[in-house]
Structure formats: C-alpha cells, structure tokens
Amino acid sequence: MSAALLEVENLSKHYPVLRRGILLQRQTAAIRAVDDVSFRLQAGETLGLVGESGCGKTTTARAILNLVTPSSGAVRFEGRDILPVFRKGERSEVLGIRRGLQYVFQDPYLSLNPRWTIGETLREPLRIHWPEREAEWPTRIDALLRMVGLEPQHAWRYPHEFSGGQRQRVGIARALAVEPRLLILDEPVSSLDISVRAQILNLLAELQDGLGLAYLYISHDLSSVRFISTHVAVMYLGKLVEMAPVDALFAAAGHHYTRALLSAIPVPDPGAAQSRIHLQGEVPSALRRPTGCPFHPRCAAALPVCRSEEPALIDIGPGHRLACHNPA
C-alpha cells in the first residue's frame, strides 16, 4: 500500500468538565468529542466525513490542523508527524505544514473580513507565506480569481457586494493561494441554495482534476458526499462506525446508522416509494455516553452484547470497515 498523503491515527479530543471548589477546581468528567478516530487519505482522493450535527466532524478537522489541541493521537502529513511540530511552535516549520493543508470554512461571509477588499483577503496568505515574492502577488491574485470563476476586477470589491456562492468562491481562492495539496472543506455548501451548491461542487471537482488536490469533505448532505467523494467515513457520537468506498457504502451499507442516513436522502420523484428508517429517541449526550455500542439505544437491531461491549472497527471487505455486532 502506498504512503498516504494524510494519515490520522487514534485521534481524540476530550474536553474536561471541571467542578469548582472553594480554592481549587477538579475534573469530574470529560466530553469525548472525538474518540480514537483513524483514517487514511491518498493524494487526489476525497474522503467524505458524514454524520449528524454534533457528532465530531468539525472537531476532527480542527484537531488535524491543531486549531483545537488534540488530547491524543497522531496526524501524519506527507509521512511526517505534524502534531509535535505544532506543539514546538517553530514558525517556519508550522507555516510549511499550513501551506500544504488549508481550510475552507462553512460560512462564506463570517470567514471573510468585511473591511478588506477581496484583493486584500487574497493578499494576506501570500504576505504570510511568500513575502519574498511580492512582485508576483498581483498576477497570482488575478489567476486565483479566474481559477474560481470570478474576474480580476472583483479584487476591488468587498464581501457584502457578493452573493453567498461568490463569497464561497473567494474562500476557496484564499485556500488555494499558497498551492496546498489538501483542502479541508467544512460544510462548504450547506448555507447555499441548491443551484449554487451544484456550481460550487462542480468547481471543486474541476479544481481537484486540474490541480491534483485531495479533499477532506465534511457534510451532513449525503447527496453532495456521493457526488464528490471517493471514500466515505461515518461518525456517530465522536466515533467512526463505518468506512468504505463511496459506491460500496451507498450500495451495501452495513451499519444501521448509515442505513438510516441513506434512507433520509430526498428522492426527486414525488411518486417514488421511500422506505425511510426512523431512529428511536435522540443522540445521547457526549458527557454521558451509553456503555457498549454508542448507537445501541437508538438501534432496532441491538443485541444484548451491544449494551455491554463496544464493537471494534474491523475490515469486512475491500476498503470497507465496520463497527457493529449485528450488521445489516
């Protein structure tokens, strides 16, 4: 197996719950936002990370980039363990890693400085990473705008003068400014209209083909995940419960939670029969996780062992991994 561009191994992020005393405070529990997550992403591929809101998708992405400090685990980018580099804090080394790993945020308005023109927004990463190439900045900014379907004259405008889709194009251009190898896309189309979503997804696919990018694509929209992803990882309550190539997952999902998610995908045919799987109850609190399998309180196929023993994520087919005692 070839070396992965990104390899995440046993990554966890736990938030302590503290109780204040008269003089001191002590930890009484921990919120396990991300718990022992492992996956690999090859160059030029897209891993779709899916699950309900609050399942740990964004925390996983931010822990990879050390935007939140992981509690444990390892993250290797291009074969190098990058978390010790972030902890050491050597500016030149950190910038070198961040040039290869860039982030596109969910809200295309809040992620842009309203007081900066688009040109200033695109100039900022160039100023930080390539100060010695200042003479090239104007040409680079023009090229970035054209790359994402905008015009060079848009560099003089402000974010409020653009639509949501155009602002997200600017966010993508900013991420591409320093020629990264991997983009983390955090719900990049969730706040956009359906037609605009399709335009942004097509743009991402074209950029991937043209630049050889890898994507970590975070979403709860399984239709967009199916369109853009080569592999899919399903998260529930901070844990990975299933991973598979995209076609294998959509054709033969093994986890009951994955099947419930797939059954909720809208079908553009009012007359088509839909067998929607309705889950019982609500997602349990991350502070008081169930014993055994975290999904068992909502699973109609739960066995007694599910209540006492947490299933391991094991291989069940080519590239297909599953954590379930009683697969579908």
Short mmCIF file of all heavy atoms in Angstrom, two decimals, residues 127-181:
data_model
loop_
_atom_site.label_atom_id
_atom_site.label_comp_id
_atom_site.label_asym_id
_atom_site.label_seq_id
_atom_site.Cartn_x
_atom_site.Cartn_y
_atom_site.Cartn_z
N ARG A 127 1.22 37.28 1.74
CA ARG A 127 2.11 38.08 2.59
C ARG A 127 2.73 37.22 3.69
O ARG A 127 3.92 37.36 4.02
CB ARG A 127 1.32 39.23 3.22
CG ARG A 127 2.17 40.15 4.10
CD ARG A 127 1.30 41.15 4.84
NE ARG A 127 0.45 40.48 5.81
CZ ARG A 127 0.88 40.06 7.01
NH1 ARG A 127 2.15 40.21 7.35
NH2 ARG A 127 0.04 39.48 7.84
N ILE A 128 1.94 36.29 4.25
CA ILE A 128 2.43 35.45 5.35
C ILE A 128 3.40 34.38 4.85
O ILE A 128 4.45 34.15 5.44
CB ILE A 128 1.24 34.80 6.09
CG1 ILE A 128 0.42 35.88 6.80
CG2 ILE A 128 1.71 33.74 7.08
CD1 ILE A 128 -0.89 35.37 7.37
N HIS A 129 3.03 33.74 3.74
CA HIS A 129 3.79 32.57 3.30
C HIS A 129 4.87 32.90 2.26
O HIS A 129 5.89 32.21 2.19
CB HIS A 129 2.85 31.51 2.73
CG HIS A 129 1.97 30.88 3.76
ND1 HIS A 129 2.37 29.80 4.52
CD2 HIS A 129 0.71 31.18 4.16
CE1 HIS A 129 1.39 29.45 5.35
NE2 HIS A 129 0.38 30.28 5.15
N TRP A 130 4.63 33.92 1.41
CA TRP A 130 5.56 34.22 0.33
C TRP A 130 5.93 35.70 0.32
O TRP A 130 5.75 36.39 -0.71
CB TRP A 130 4.95 33.84 -1.03
CG TRP A 130 4.82 32.36 -1.24
CD1 TRP A 130 5.52 31.36 -0.62
CD2 TRP A 130 3.93 31.71 -2.15
NE1 TRP A 130 5.12 30.13 -1.08
CE2 TRP A 130 4.15 30.31 -2.02
CE3 TRP A 130 2.98 32.15 -3.05
CZ2 TRP A 130 3.44 29.36 -2.76
CZ3 TRP A 130 2.28 31.23 -3.79
CH2 TRP A 130 2.51 29.84 -3.66
N PRO A 131 6.43 36.24 1.42
CA PRO A 131 6.75 37.68 1.44
C PRO A 131 7.83 38.06 0.42
O PRO A 131 7.86 39.20 -0.07
CB PRO A 131 7.23 37.91 2.88
CG PRO A 131 7.70 36.57 3.36
CD PRO A 131 6.79 35.58 2.69
N GLU A 132 8.71 37.12 0.10
CA GLU A 132 9.81 37.41 -0.82
C GLU A 132 9.36 37.47 -2.27
O GLU A 132 10.14 37.86 -3.16
CB GLU A 132 10.92 36.35 -0.65
CG GLU A 132 10.60 34.98 -1.24
CD GLU A 132 9.65 34.13 -0.37
OE1 GLU A 132 9.27 34.61 0.72
OE2 GLU A 132 9.33 33.00 -0.78
N ARG A 133 8.10 37.12 -2.53
CA ARG A 133 7.60 37.10 -3.92
C ARG A 133 6.55 38.18 -4.16
O ARG A 133 5.62 38.01 -4.93
CB ARG A 133 7.04 35.70 -4.23
CG ARG A 133 8.13 34.62 -4.20
CD ARG A 133 7.59 33.21 -4.05
NE ARG A 133 6.74 32.80 -5.15
CZ ARG A 133 6.25 31.55 -5.28
NH1 ARG A 133 6.56 30.62 -4.38
NH2 ARG A 133 5.47 31.24 -6.29
N GLU A 134 6.72 39.30 -3.49
CA GLU A 134 5.71 40.36 -3.55
C GLU A 134 5.43 40.84 -4.96
O GLU A 134 4.28 41.19 -5.30
CB GLU A 134 6.15 41.55 -2.67
CG GLU A 134 5.10 42.64 -2.56
CD GLU A 134 5.48 43.71 -1.55
OE1 GLU A 134 6.54 43.59 -0.90
OE2 GLU A 134 4.70 44.68 -1.41
N ALA A 135 6.43 40.85 -5.80
CA ALA A 135 6.22 41.31 -7.18
C ALA A 135 5.25 40.41 -7.94
O ALA A 135 4.61 40.85 -8.91
CB ALA A 135 7.57 41.36 -7.91
N GLU A 136 5.08 39.16 -7.49
CA GLU A 136 4.21 38.21 -8.17
C GLU A 136 2.78 38.24 -7.64
O GLU A 136 1.90 37.61 -8.24
CB GLU A 136 4.76 36.79 -8.02
CG GLU A 136 6.17 36.60 -8.55
CD GLU A 136 6.72 35.22 -8.23
OE1 GLU A 136 5.91 34.31 -7.94
OE2 GLU A 136 7.94 35.05 -8.27
N TRP A 137 2.55 38.94 -6.54
CA TRP A 137 1.23 38.88 -5.91
C TRP A 137 0.09 39.32 -6.84
O TRP A 137 -0.93 38.62 -6.91
CB TRP A 137 1.21 39.74 -4.64
CG TRP A 137 2.08 39.23 -3.53
CD1 TRP A 137 2.81 38.07 -3.50
CD2 TRP A 137 2.33 39.88 -2.29
NE1 TRP A 137 3.50 37.96 -2.32
CE2 TRP A 137 3.22 39.05 -1.55
CE3 TRP A 137 1.91 41.07 -1.72
CZ2 TRP A 137 3.68 39.40 -0.28
CZ3 TRP A 137 2.35 41.42 -0.45
CH2 TRP A 137 3.24 40.59 0.26
N PRO A 138 0.19 40.45 -7.52
CA PRO A 138 -0.94 40.87 -8.38
C PRO A 138 -1.30 39.82 -9.44
O PRO A 138 -2.49 39.54 -9.66
CB PRO A 138 -0.44 42.17 -9.02
CG PRO A 138 0.57 42.69 -8.06
CD PRO A 138 1.26 41.47 -7.52
N THR A 139 -0.28 39.24 -10.07
CA THR A 139 -0.54 38.20 -11.07
C THR A 139 -1.18 36.98 -10.44
O THR A 139 -2.11 36.38 -11.02
CB THR A 139 0.77 37.81 -11.77
OG1 THR A 139 1.36 38.96 -12.37
CG2 THR A 139 0.52 36.76 -12.85
N ARG A 140 -0.70 36.61 -9.26
CA ARG A 140 -1.25 35.45 -8.56
C ARG A 140 -2.71 35.68 -8.17
O ARG A 140 -3.55 34.79 -8.31
CB ARG A 140 -0.40 35.14 -7.32
CG ARG A 140 -0.88 33.97 -6.47
CD ARG A 140 -0.79 32.67 -7.24
NE ARG A 140 -1.18 31.53 -6.41
CZ ARG A 140 -1.54 30.35 -6.90
NH1 ARG A 140 -1.54 30.15 -8.22
NH2 ARG A 140 -1.88 29.36 -6.10
N ILE A 141 -3.04 36.87 -7.69
CA ILE A 141 -4.42 37.18 -7.29
C ILE A 141 -5.35 37.12 -8.49
O ILE A 141 -6.46 36.57 -8.42
CB ILE A 141 -4.47 38.56 -6.59
CG1 ILE A 141 -3.78 38.47 -5.22
CG2 ILE A 141 -5.91 39.03 -6.43
CD1 ILE A 141 -3.56 39.81 -4.55
N ASP A 142 -4.93 37.68 -9.61
CA ASP A 142 -5.75 37.61 -10.84
C ASP A 142 -5.99 36.15 -11.23
O ASP A 142 -7.12 35.76 -11.59
CB ASP A 142 -5.06 38.34 -11.99
CG ASP A 142 -5.10 39.85 -11.83
OD1 ASP A 142 -5.75 40.32 -10.88
OD2 ASP A 142 -4.47 40.54 -12.66
N ALA A 143 -4.94 35.34 -11.17
CA ALA A 143 -5.06 33.93 -11.55
C ALA A 143 -5.99 33.18 -10.62
O ALA A 143 -6.79 32.34 -11.05
CB ALA A 143 -3.68 33.28 -11.58
N LEU A 144 -5.92 33.48 -9.31
CA LEU A 144 -6.79 32.81 -8.34
C LEU A 144 -8.26 33.15 -8.60
O LEU A 144 -9.13 32.27 -8.53
CB LEU A 144 -6.40 33.23 -6.92
CG LEU A 144 -5.10 32.65 -6.37
CD1 LEU A 144 -4.68 33.38 -5.11
CD2 LEU A 144 -5.27 31.16 -6.09
N LEU A 145 -8.55 34.41 -8.88
CA LEU A 145 -9.93 34.80 -9.15
C LEU A 145 -10.47 34.11 -10.39
O LEU A 145 -11.60 33.60 -10.40
CB LEU A 145 -10.02 36.33 -9.29
CG LEU A 145 -9.82 37.11 -7.98
CD1 LEU A 145 -9.67 38.60 -8.26
CD2 LEU A 145 -11.00 36.87 -7.03
N ARG A 146 -9.67 34.04 -11.43
CA ARG A 146 -10.12 33.35 -12.65
C ARG A 146 -10.28 31.85 -12.39
O ARG A 146 -11.19 31.21 -12.94
CB ARG A 146 -9.11 33.59 -13.78
CG ARG A 146 -9.04 35.02 -14.26
CD ARG A 146 -8.14 35.15 -15.48
NE ARG A 146 -7.92 36.53 -15.87
CZ ARG A 146 -8.78 37.25 -16.60
NH1 ARG A 146 -9.92 36.71 -17.00
NH2 ARG A 146 -8.50 38.50 -16.93
N MET A 147 -9.43 31.31 -11.55
CA MET A 147 -9.46 29.88 -11.25
C MET A 147 -10.80 29.47 -10.63
O MET A 147 -11.29 28.36 -10.85
CB MET A 147 -8.31 29.53 -10.30
CG MET A 147 -7.98 28.06 -10.18
SD MET A 147 -6.64 27.80 -9.00
CE MET A 147 -5.30 28.67 -9.81
N VAL A 148 -11.40 30.36 -9.85
CA VAL A 148 -12.66 30.03 -9.16
C VAL A 148 -13.87 30.65 -9.85
O VAL A 148 -14.96 30.71 -9.28
CB VAL A 148 -12.61 30.45 -7.68
CG1 VAL A 148 -11.52 29.69 -6.94
CG2 VAL A 148 -12.44 31.96 -7.52
N GLY A 149 -13.70 31.14 -11.07
CA GLY A 149 -14.84 31.63 -11.84
C GLY A 149 -15.20 33.08 -11.59
O GLY A 149 -16.31 33.50 -11.94
N LEU A 150 -14.28 33.87 -11.05
CA LEU A 150 -14.50 35.30 -10.86
C LEU A 150 -13.58 36.07 -11.81
O LEU A 150 -12.76 35.50 -12.50
CB LEU A 150 -14.25 35.69 -9.40
CG LEU A 150 -15.15 35.02 -8.35
CD1 LEU A 150 -14.71 35.39 -6.94
CD2 LEU A 150 -16.62 35.41 -8.57
N GLU A 151 -13.74 37.41 -11.81
CA GLU A 151 -12.95 38.25 -12.70
C GLU A 151 -11.93 39.06 -11.90
O GLU A 151 -12.17 39.38 -10.74
CB GLU A 151 -13.87 39.20 -13.48
CG GLU A 151 -14.85 38.49 -14.40
CD GLU A 151 -14.13 37.70 -15.50
OE1 GLU A 151 -13.04 38.14 -15.94
OE2 GLU A 151 -14.65 36.66 -15.93
N PRO A 152 -10.81 39.43 -12.51
CA PRO A 152 -9.79 40.21 -11.79
C PRO A 152 -10.32 41.50 -11.17
O PRO A 152 -9.87 41.90 -10.10
CB PRO A 152 -8.74 40.49 -12.87
CG PRO A 152 -8.87 39.35 -13.82
CD PRO A 152 -10.33 39.02 -13.85
N GLN A 153 -11.29 42.16 -11.81
CA GLN A 153 -11.82 43.41 -11.26
C GLN A 153 -12.58 43.20 -9.95
O GLN A 153 -12.81 44.16 -9.20
CB GLN A 153 -12.70 44.14 -12.27
CG GLN A 153 -13.90 43.35 -12.77
CD GLN A 153 -13.62 42.62 -14.07
OE1 GLN A 153 -12.47 42.22 -14.32
NE2 GLN A 153 -14.64 42.44 -14.89
N HIS A 154 -12.97 41.95 -9.67
CA HIS A 154 -13.64 41.67 -8.40
C HIS A 154 -12.71 41.88 -7.20
O HIS A 154 -13.18 41.96 -6.06
CB HIS A 154 -14.16 40.24 -8.39
CG HIS A 154 -15.35 40.03 -9.28
ND1 HIS A 154 -15.60 38.85 -9.93
CD2 HIS A 154 -16.35 40.87 -9.64
CE1 HIS A 154 -16.71 38.96 -10.65
NE2 HIS A 154 -17.18 40.17 -10.49
N ALA A 155 -11.42 41.98 -7.44
CA ALA A 155 -10.47 42.18 -6.34
C ALA A 155 -10.70 43.49 -5.61
O ALA A 155 -10.30 43.64 -4.45
CB ALA A 155 -9.03 42.13 -6.87
N TRP A 156 -11.37 44.46 -6.25
CA TRP A 156 -11.58 45.77 -5.64
C TRP A 156 -12.89 45.84 -4.87
O TRP A 156 -13.19 46.88 -4.25
CB TRP A 156 -11.54 46.86 -6.72
CG TRP A 156 -10.25 46.85 -7.46
CD1 TRP A 156 -9.99 46.33 -8.70
CD2 TRP A 156 -8.99 47.37 -7.00
NE1 TRP A 156 -8.68 46.48 -9.05
CE2 TRP A 156 -8.03 47.12 -8.02
CE3 TRP A 156 -8.60 48.01 -5.84
CZ2 TRP A 156 -6.70 47.51 -7.89
CZ3 TRP A 156 -7.27 48.39 -5.71
CH2 TRP A 156 -6.34 48.14 -6.73
N ARG A 157 -13.66 44.80 -4.89
CA ARG A 157 -14.95 44.81 -4.19
C ARG A 157 -14.82 44.25 -2.78
O ARG A 157 -13.83 43.62 -2.43
CB ARG A 157 -15.98 44.00 -4.97
CG ARG A 157 -16.28 44.56 -6.35
CD ARG A 157 -17.41 43.79 -7.00
NE ARG A 157 -17.67 44.23 -8.37
CZ ARG A 157 -18.60 43.71 -9.15
NH1 ARG A 157 -19.38 42.72 -8.70
NH2 ARG A 157 -18.76 44.15 -10.38
N TYR A 158 -15.89 44.47 -1.98
CA TYR A 158 -15.94 44.00 -0.60
C TYR A 158 -16.89 42.80 -0.49
O TYR A 158 -17.76 42.61 -1.35
CB TYR A 158 -16.40 45.13 0.33
CG TYR A 158 -15.36 46.21 0.51
CD1 TYR A 158 -15.27 47.27 -0.38
CD2 TYR A 158 -14.45 46.15 1.57
CE1 TYR A 158 -14.31 48.26 -0.23
CE2 TYR A 158 -13.48 47.13 1.74
CZ TYR A 158 -13.41 48.18 0.83
OH TYR A 158 -12.45 49.15 1.00
N PRO A 159 -16.76 41.98 0.56
CA PRO A 159 -17.60 40.78 0.66
C PRO A 159 -19.10 41.04 0.57
O PRO A 159 -19.83 40.22 -0.02
CB PRO A 159 -17.22 40.22 2.04
CG PRO A 159 -15.80 40.66 2.24
CD PRO A 159 -15.72 42.02 1.61
N HIS A 160 -19.59 42.17 1.11
CA HIS A 160 -21.04 42.41 1.09
C HIS A 160 -21.57 42.66 -0.32
O HIS A 160 -22.79 42.63 -0.54
CB HIS A 160 -21.40 43.59 2.00
CG HIS A 160 -20.97 44.93 1.46
ND1 HIS A 160 -19.74 45.48 1.74
CD2 HIS A 160 -21.62 45.81 0.64
CE1 HIS A 160 -19.65 46.66 1.13
NE2 HIS A 160 -20.77 46.87 0.47
N GLU A 161 -20.70 42.87 -1.28
CA GLU A 161 -21.11 43.10 -2.66
C GLU A 161 -21.27 41.81 -3.45
O GLU A 161 -21.59 41.85 -4.65
CB GLU A 161 -20.11 44.01 -3.36
CG GLU A 161 -19.94 45.37 -2.71
CD GLU A 161 -18.92 46.23 -3.43
OE1 GLU A 161 -19.24 46.72 -4.54
OE2 GLU A 161 -17.81 46.40 -2.90
N PHE A 162 -21.05 40.66 -2.79
CA PHE A 162 -21.10 39.37 -3.47
C PHE A 162 -22.24 38.51 -2.93
O PHE A 162 -22.67 38.68 -1.78
CB PHE A 162 -19.78 38.61 -3.28
CG PHE A 162 -18.62 39.20 -4.02
CD1 PHE A 162 -17.82 40.15 -3.41
CD2 PHE A 162 -18.32 38.82 -5.31
CE1 PHE A 162 -16.75 40.70 -4.08
CE2 PHE A 162 -17.25 39.36 -5.99
CZ PHE A 162 -16.46 40.31 -5.37
N SER A 163 -22.68 37.58 -3.75
CA SER A 163 -23.65 36.58 -3.29
C SER A 163 -22.95 35.54 -2.44
O SER A 163 -21.71 35.50 -2.36
CB SER A 163 -24.29 35.89 -4.50
OG SER A 163 -23.32 35.13 -5.20
N GLY A 164 -23.73 34.66 -1.79
CA GLY A 164 -23.14 33.62 -0.96
C GLY A 164 -22.24 32.70 -1.74
O GLY A 164 -21.15 32.33 -1.28
N GLY A 165 -22.67 32.33 -2.95
CA GLY A 165 -21.84 31.44 -3.77
C GLY A 165 -20.54 32.10 -4.19
O GLY A 165 -19.48 31.47 -4.21
N GLN A 166 -20.60 33.40 -4.53
CA GLN A 166 -19.39 34.12 -4.91
C GLN A 166 -18.44 34.25 -3.72
O GLN A 166 -17.22 34.13 -3.86
CB GLN A 166 -19.75 35.50 -5.46
CG GLN A 166 -20.41 35.46 -6.83
CD GLN A 166 -20.86 36.83 -7.27
OE1 GLN A 166 -21.41 37.61 -6.47
NE2 GLN A 166 -20.65 37.15 -8.54
N ARG A 167 -18.99 34.48 -2.53
CA ARG A 167 -18.15 34.58 -1.33
C ARG A 167 -17.45 33.25 -1.06
O ARG A 167 -16.29 33.22 -0.64
CB ARG A 167 -18.97 35.03 -0.13
CG ARG A 167 -19.37 36.48 -0.17
CD ARG A 167 -19.86 36.98 1.17
NE ARG A 167 -21.15 36.44 1.53
CZ ARG A 167 -22.30 37.08 1.39
NH1 ARG A 167 -22.32 38.30 0.84
NH2 ARG A 167 -23.44 36.52 1.75
N GLN A 168 -18.17 32.15 -1.29
CA GLN A 168 -17.52 30.86 -1.07
C GLN A 168 -16.42 30.62 -2.10
O GLN A 168 -15.39 30.00 -1.80
CB GLN A 168 -18.55 29.72 -1.10
CG GLN A 168 -18.04 28.40 -0.55
CD GLN A 168 -17.56 28.49 0.88
OE1 GLN A 168 -16.51 29.05 1.17
NE2 GLN A 168 -18.34 27.93 1.80
N ARG A 169 -16.60 31.12 -3.31
CA ARG A 169 -15.55 31.04 -4.31
C ARG A 169 -14.30 31.80 -3.84
O ARG A 169 -13.17 31.35 -4.05
CB ARG A 169 -16.03 31.59 -5.66
CG ARG A 169 -17.06 30.71 -6.35
CD ARG A 169 -17.61 31.39 -7.60
NE ARG A 169 -18.69 30.60 -8.19
CZ ARG A 169 -18.54 29.71 -9.16
NH1 ARG A 169 -17.34 29.47 -9.65
NH2 ARG A 169 -19.58 29.04 -9.63
N VAL A 170 -14.53 32.95 -3.20
CA VAL A 170 -13.41 33.72 -2.66
C VAL A 170 -12.70 32.91 -1.55
O VAL A 170 -11.47 32.87 -1.48
CB VAL A 170 -13.88 35.07 -2.11
CG1 VAL A 170 -12.74 35.79 -1.38
CG2 VAL A 170 -14.42 35.94 -3.25
N GLY A 171 -13.50 32.26 -0.69
CA GLY A 171 -12.92 31.44 0.36
C GLY A 171 -12.07 30.30 -0.21
O GLY A 171 -11.00 29.97 0.33
N ILE A 172 -12.54 29.71 -1.29
CA ILE A 172 -11.77 28.63 -1.93
C ILE A 172 -10.50 29.20 -2.55
O ILE A 172 -9.41 28.62 -2.43
CB ILE A 172 -12.63 27.93 -2.99
CG1 ILE A 172 -13.80 27.20 -2.31
CG2 ILE A 172 -11.80 26.96 -3.82
CD1 ILE A 172 -14.87 26.71 -3.28
N ALA A 173 -10.61 30.38 -3.20
CA ALA A 173 -9.42 31.01 -3.79
C ALA A 173 -8.39 31.33 -2.72
O ALA A 173 -7.18 31.14 -2.93
CB ALA A 173 -9.83 32.28 -4.54
N ARG A 174 -8.83 31.81 -1.58
CA ARG A 174 -7.90 32.12 -0.48
C ARG A 174 -7.18 30.86 -0.03
O ARG A 174 -5.96 30.88 0.24
CB ARG A 174 -8.64 32.75 0.69
CG ARG A 174 -7.76 33.08 1.89
CD ARG A 174 -8.55 33.73 2.99
NE ARG A 174 -9.66 32.89 3.43
CZ ARG A 174 -10.57 33.28 4.33
NH1 ARG A 174 -10.49 34.50 4.86
NH2 ARG A 174 -11.54 32.47 4.67
N ALA A 175 -7.90 29.74 0.07
CA ALA A 175 -7.28 28.49 0.49
C ALA A 175 -6.27 28.00 -0.54
O ALA A 175 -5.26 27.39 -0.19
CB ALA A 175 -8.35 27.43 0.72
N LEU A 176 -6.53 28.27 -1.83
CA LEU A 176 -5.64 27.81 -2.89
C LEU A 176 -4.43 28.71 -3.10
O LEU A 176 -3.52 28.35 -3.85
CB LEU A 176 -6.42 27.72 -4.21
CG LEU A 176 -7.53 26.68 -4.29
CD1 LEU A 176 -8.28 26.83 -5.61
CD2 LEU A 176 -6.97 25.27 -4.17
N ALA A 177 -4.41 29.87 -2.45
CA ALA A 177 -3.40 30.88 -2.74
C ALA A 177 -1.98 30.36 -2.59
O ALA A 177 -1.09 30.74 -3.36
CB ALA A 177 -3.62 32.10 -1.84
N VAL A 178 -1.73 29.49 -1.60
CA VAL A 178 -0.36 29.05 -1.32
C VAL A 178 -0.10 27.64 -1.84
O VAL A 178 0.79 26.94 -1.37
CB VAL A 178 -0.06 29.14 0.19
CG1 VAL A 178 -0.01 30.58 0.63
CG2 VAL A 178 -1.10 28.37 1.02
N GLU A 179 -0.91 27.21 -2.81
CA GLU A 179 -0.72 25.94 -3.51
C GLU A 179 -0.70 24.73 -2.57
O GLU A 179 0.27 23.97 -2.51
CB GLU A 179 0.57 25.98 -4.35
CG GLU A 179 0.55 27.08 -5.39
CD GLU A 179 1.84 27.15 -6.20
OE1 GLU A 179 2.80 26.42 -5.86
OE2 GLU A 179 1.90 27.94 -7.17
N PRO A 180 -1.78 24.52 -1.82
CA PRO A 180 -1.83 23.37 -0.91
C PRO A 180 -2.00 22.07 -1.67
O PRO A 180 -2.38 22.05 -2.85
CB PRO A 180 -3.06 23.66 -0.06
CG PRO A 180 -3.96 24.44 -0.98
CD PRO A 180 -3.03 25.28 -1.81
N ARG A 181 -1.77 20.97 -0.97
CA ARG A 181 -2.01 19.64 -1.53
C ARG A 181 -3.32 19.06 -1.02
O ARG A 181 -3.86 18.14 -1.61
CB ARG A 181 -0.85 18.70 -1.18
CG ARG A 181 0.48 19.09 -1.81
CD ARG A 181 1.43 17.93 -1.81
NE ARG A 181 0.93 16.83 -2.62
CZ ARG A 181 1.38 15.58 -2.55
NH1 ARG A 181 2.32 15.26 -1.69
NH2 ARG A 181 0.88 14.63 -3.32
#
